[in-house]
Amino acid sequence: MVLRENLLLSMNCPELLLLLKRLEIDFEYIEHPKVRTVSEAKKILSSLQAVGSKNLFLQSERERNFYLLAAHEDKRIDLKALALELGSSSFSFGKADDLKALLGVEPGAVSILGLIFDTQKKVRLLIDRDLYGQPKIQCHPLVNTASLIVNPLDLQRFFDFTGHIVEVINVPSLTSKLS
């Protein structure tokens, strides 16, 4: 187990891609200029036949629990309502140091694939039903200079490998372009 954890702690984008192939997860790999926000990504990746994802690294204020929320790129998330639904006092964005320590990425490169580094299962994975129901989604492969196009259901093999449970939820929205 220690060898597996040490391997994961040093994983980079090319090694992640090899792991996804080994797990028989089909994906398309696209390199692009660095993007740090959803709006930057949409400008570059809007022609792709896949829905962009908004990935938020959150922590509960009092309980110090960590969450990785993946939602449809157009959803304006109501964090107060989400915290209430999950039984938390409130949410804030997680600190960059915690993001790096738990998911192995920098701000602007948050991705569900960062769960590969969360070997102690400290991060709870939440995926919005509006995203999970799409045939293809975009996600970063640990860097924000590339994106993968993948079927969200195929990612279950990845989550099984990391030991994370996918909680598919209806993420509350302030307003949504999805209506």
Side-chain angles (χ1 to χ4, degrees):
M1 185 66 167
V2 172
L3 177 62
R4 178 180 179 266
E5 288 183 7
N6 288 340
L7 169 71
L8 297 180
L9 291 175
S10 66
M11 183 167 281
N12 59 28
C13 178
E15 292 166 337
L16 174 68
L17 299 178
L18 289 173
L19 173 65
L20 294 177
K21 286 179 183 178
R22 203 171 80 222
L23 295 174
E24 298 179 359
I25 296 171
D26 291 327
F27 61 87
E28 183 180 342
Y29 175 82
I30 298 102
E31 288 186 350
H32 52 72
K34 183 181 284 190
V35 294
R36 295 182 187 187
T37 65
V38 169
S39 60
E40 288 177 5
K42 284 176 86 168
K43 288 177 187 171
I44 295 172
L45 302 171
S46 63
S47 65
L48 300 178
Q49 297 298 309
V51 172
S53 61
K54 177 183 294 188
N55 297 275
L56 305 178
F57 178 64
L58 305 169
Q59 77 176 62
S60 57
E61 291 292 325
R62 291 189 196 138
E63 301 87 10
R64 189 123 166 93
N65 295 322
F66 296 98
Y67 301 82
L68 177 57
L69 171 64
H72 191 289
E73 67 185 351
D74 290 331
K75 186 165 262 189
R76 292 193 54 222
I77 299 163
D78 185 339
L79 291 179
K80 288 181 184 180
L82 179 62
L84 286 173
E85 283 187 24
L86 296 174
S88 182
S89 55
S90 62
F91 284 139
S92 64
F93 292 101
K95 295 178 180 74
D97 290 345
D98 291 328
L99 175 62
K100 184 67 173 173
L102 294 170
L103 298 180
V105 296
E106 304 291 334
V110 180
S111 170
I112 54 179
L113 299 175
L115 290 169
I116 194 73
F117 296 107
D118 182 30
T119 58
Q120 296 182 3
K121 314 299 175 286
K122 291 185 176 183
V123 179
R124 188 170 160 187
L125 173 60
L126 309 170
I127 300 181
D128 186 31
R129 192 170 314 282
D130 290 331
L131 180 67
Y132 205 65
Q134 299 295 322
K136 298 283 183 180
I137 63 169
Q138 302 166 20
C139 62
H140 290 309
L142 307 179
V143 295
N144 58 2
T145 56
S147 292
L148 300 182
I149 296 177
V150 63
N151 181 315
L153 296 176
D154 286 344
L155 288 174
Q156 186 60 54
R157 285 187 293 284
F158 175 78
F159 301 131
D160 290 344
F161 179 79
T162 66
H164 288 84
I165 296 169
V166 179
E167 295 180 56
V168 180
I169 62 172
N170 291 316
V171 174
S173 178
L174 294 170
T175 58
S176 177
K177 295 179 182 176
L178 299 176
S179 46

